[in-house]
Amino acid sequence: MNISQIFANNKVWITEKLKGNPEYFKNLSLGQSPEILYIGCSDSRVSSEELMGAKPGEVFVHRNIANMVPNTDLSVMSVINYAVSYLKVKHVVVCGHYYCNGVKAAMQSEDMGILNPWLRNIRDVYRIHRHELDAIADEDLRYKRLVELNVQEQCVNVLKTADVQKAYKERTLTVHGWVFDIKTGQLVDLEIDFDKILVNIMEIYRII
Ligand code: CO
């Protein structure tokens, strides 16, 4: 894809949208009230809105390497704060994906510079779930399971924030852990039982 093609594509897109509704962009300019916050990987193959069939205005999106929610990252923390406390989203989704290079890189014994502290968070996920992961003999399956457990831990990180704890207590918010399978195109709900996970740890992380 070359850069000039992008601008040609944009013109075609505008024409198509206006054909369906001449007020399309005028309506978009009035504001947004998305019900979903989606936190996913930056991977170019995981095109968040496209895989969900979401239209502009429907999903508030944050993407970074390996869909992480580190509490020291001002960007993801600001996104969660704004989406939950101001936009009042009803759902927070953390969506990982199989064949995630970020997760794979975290499993290598290699100095990756500035990526070291970012990927270290994934090594911590491995440590927390070491017994389960070490018991998986097949390397591909172990790597896939780490992708899933990383989603689970990032969901727990979402639940550690004050904004989410407040909304969760008021029962206005649901947290979801999903995985996108690049090989099949399928989006899978991991159906994580947060009540079960949180029962043992929430006393530690409760703020509200
Ligand atoms: Co990825």
Side-chain angles (χ1 to χ4, degrees):
M1 177 168 230
N2 67 46
I3 294 294
S4 59
Q5 184 62 44
I6 290 171
F7 289 90
N9 291 348
N10 174 251
K11 284 198 174 72
V12 173
W13 179 70
I14 292 169
T15 309
E16 274 172 13
K17 290 291 177 197
L18 293 178
K19 213 186 284 173
N21 176 7
E23 304 289 295
Y24 186 82
F25 294 104
K26 199 180 153 199
N27 289 342
L28 279 187
S29 73
L30 298 176
Q32 62 168 341
S33 52
E35 294 191 353
I36 300 167
L37 163 60
Y38 169 102
I39 299 168
C41 184
S42 297
D43 193 302
S44 61
R45 300 163 297 176
V46 189
S47 50
S48 48
E49 286 95 334
E50 192 178 332
L51 70 90
M52 289 187 282
K55 297 184 199 73
E58 290 184 330
V59 185
F60 200 67
V61 173
H62 179 79
R63 292 169 69 177
N64 61 35
I65 292 173
N67 42 270
M68 303 303 289
V69 186
N71 71 324
T72 50
D73 179 44
L74 197 54
S75 181
V76 71
M77 287 296 127
S78 302
V79 165
I80 291 172
N81 172 259
Y82 183 67
V84 173
S85 295
Y86 294 90
L87 294 174
K88 309 274 185 201
V89 294
K90 294 188 174 82
H91 306 274
V92 178
V93 172
V94 176
C95 184
H97 68 101
Y98 298 133
Y99 313 101
C100 182
N101 292 328
V103 173
K104 195 160 203 175
M107 291 295 91
Q108 316 300 316
S109 299
E110 197 185 330
D111 182 355
M112 298 188 74
I114 190 64
L115 285 172
N116 292 337
W118 190 259
L119 298 177
R120 221 284 313 283
N121 295 300
I122 303 172
R123 293 183 198 269
D124 292 340
V125 172
Y126 196 105
R127 179 172 53 80
I128 294 166
H129 297 279
R130 185 173 195 164
H131 292 297
E132 181 185 341
L133 289 164
D134 281 351
I136 303 170
D138 184 278
E139 199 182 327
D140 274 1
L141 290 178
R142 193 164 67 239
Y143 165 40
K144 278 187 162 179
R145 186 61 185 142
L146 179 57
V147 165
E148 295 172 359
L149 290 169
N150 184 46
V151 167
Q152 180 179 309
E153 289 304 322
Q154 302 319 313
C155 287
V156 171
N157 282 345
V158 167
L159 287 156
K160 289 172 191 168
T161 65
D163 298 293
V164 171
Q165 285 187 16
K166 194 164 173 279
Y168 209 67
K169 208 174 182 181
E170 291 162 1
R171 302 204 175 277
T172 54
L173 188 79
T174 315
V175 177
H176 310 262
W178 297 349
V179 165
F180 176 67
D181 188 348
I182 290 181
K183 217 169 190 174
T184 62
Q186 208 183 350
L187 192 57
V188 181
D189 186 346
L190 295 173
E191 292 175 3
I192 300 166
D193 187 348
F194 291 109
D195 289 338
K196 195 178 157 200
I197 294 167
L198 296 176
V199 77
N200 293 318
I201 60 169
M202 217 48 211
E203 280 314 308
I204 301 169
Y205 294 109
R206 193 184 308 282
I207 299 169
I208 302 296

